[in-house]
């Protein structure tokens, strides 16, 4: 049975109320947090390097896990996820965070079961308790996004294409479309929004973040969106719109 629609969420500053990468590193070590802004390195690689240093300095996996229970999430965003799920929507996360952070935070808030897909950078714990994070798209296999707004390690538009294809199945060849909504805040959340084909689709753009600024500066990019744009400041704005 086809879902009522596909609801895609970015994670940092979208589903949750912070940047999980920065939040965790700052919780673990203010000195390492400072290095995030000083080192010239691809972001995912930098996260992995900071966690490596934390482990080498005697940092425990328990502290990393503890930090993930402190990440803030708006109760109205949790209500939004439950409401969409109850209405038969398929929920997915498309994020530049990592699988361990996302899985752990969703489990903490009791909503992991609401999401059918999590597309993000893979992460794992090794036998010594060190957390490793790798790029979703390896450095030697460029994803080839032509827009120039996606991160090197993930083209969110291409990943949403895969999610839509999986849900439409063979009917997609006949021009079928899927009702969609997308919640995002960053410039790399523009590419996936182009996958929404209907004027009744909802594109939730967080106010004051880089995505809103990108659309303000690029009228052609904004005009290319067939979906309805809903600017939001808090999760209550999304919940009210969906209700």
């Amino acid at each position: 049975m086809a879902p009522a629609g596909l609801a895609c969420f970015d994670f940092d500053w979208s589903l949750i109320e912070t940047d999980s990468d920065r939040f965790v590193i700052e919780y673990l070590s203010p000195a390492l947090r400072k290095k995030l802004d000083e080192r010239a390195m691809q972001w995912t690689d930098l996260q992995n390097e900071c966690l490596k240093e934390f482990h080498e300095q005697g940092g425990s996996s328990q502290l990393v896990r503890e930090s993930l229970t402190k990440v803030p999430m708006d109760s109205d965003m949790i209500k939004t996820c439950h409401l969409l799920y109850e209405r038969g929507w398929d929920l997915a996360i498309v994020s530049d965070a990592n699988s361990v952070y996302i899985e752990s935070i969703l489990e903490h808030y009791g909503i992991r079961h609401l999401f059918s897909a999590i597309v993000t950078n893979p992460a794992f714990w090794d036998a010594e308790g060190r957390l490793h994070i790798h790029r979703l798209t390896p450095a030697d296999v460029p994803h080839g996004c032509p827009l120039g707004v996606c991160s090197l390690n993930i083209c969110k538009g291409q990943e949403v294409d895969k999610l839509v294809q999986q849900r439409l199945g063979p009917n997609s060849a006949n021009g079928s479309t899927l009702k969609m909504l997308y919640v995002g805040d960053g410039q790399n959340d523009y590419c996936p929004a182009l996958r929404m084909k209907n004027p009744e689709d909802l594109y939730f753009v967080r106010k004051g973040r880089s995505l809103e600024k990108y659309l303000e500066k690029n009228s052609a990019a904004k005009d290319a969106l067939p979906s309805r744009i809903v600017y939001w400041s808090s999760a209550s704005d999304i919940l009210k719109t969906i209700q």
Side-chain angles (χ1 to χ4, degrees), residues 98-100 122-126 130-134:
N98 69 78
S99 58
V100 167
F124 66 94
W125 299 97
D126 67 18
R130 185 204 147 189
L131 181 60
H132 298 253
I133 303 173
H134 297 307

Side-chain angles (χ1 to χ4, degrees), residues 157-225:
Q158 293 174 4
E159 298 303 328
V160 170
D161 280 339
K162 296 174 187 176
L163 293 172
V164 172
Q165 181 70 30
Q166 291 164 3
R167 282 145 187 79
L168 285 177
N171 291 330
S172 60
N174 300 323
S176 299
T177 58
L178 186 65
K179 189 175 182 181
M180 293 180 64
L181 67 82
Y182 190 97
V183 179
D185 78 291
Q187 186 171 303
N188 63 351
D189 292 311
Y190 174 73
C191 184
L194 294 173
R195 275 59 187 180
M196 294 188 284
K197 305 299 183 183
N198 303 308
E200 62 268 24
D201 289 341
L202 297 172
Y203 186 29
F204 291 97
V205 175
R206 189 153 202 176
K207 294 180 180 178
R209 305 290 298 176
S210 60
L211 177 58
E212 181 188 30
K213 295 172 184 177
Y214 175 77
L215 295 176
E216 287 177 348
K217 294 178 180 178
N218 297 273
S219 57
K222 184 176 180 180
D223 293 342
L225 296 168

Side-chain angles (χ1 to χ4, degrees), residues 8-19 73-74 77 156 182-186 189 204 206 209 211 232 235 238:
C8 291
F9 294 82
D10 171 47
F11 193 65
D12 297 319
W13 289 116
S14 294
L15 197 64
I16 61 173
E17 290 297 303
T18 188
D19 181 310
M73 186 174 185
D74 195 312
M77 187 61 78
K156 290 188 176 183
Y182 190 97
V183 179
D185 78 291
D189 292 311
F204 291 97
R206 189 153 202 176
R209 305 290 298 176
L211 177 58
W232 64 287
I238 298 176

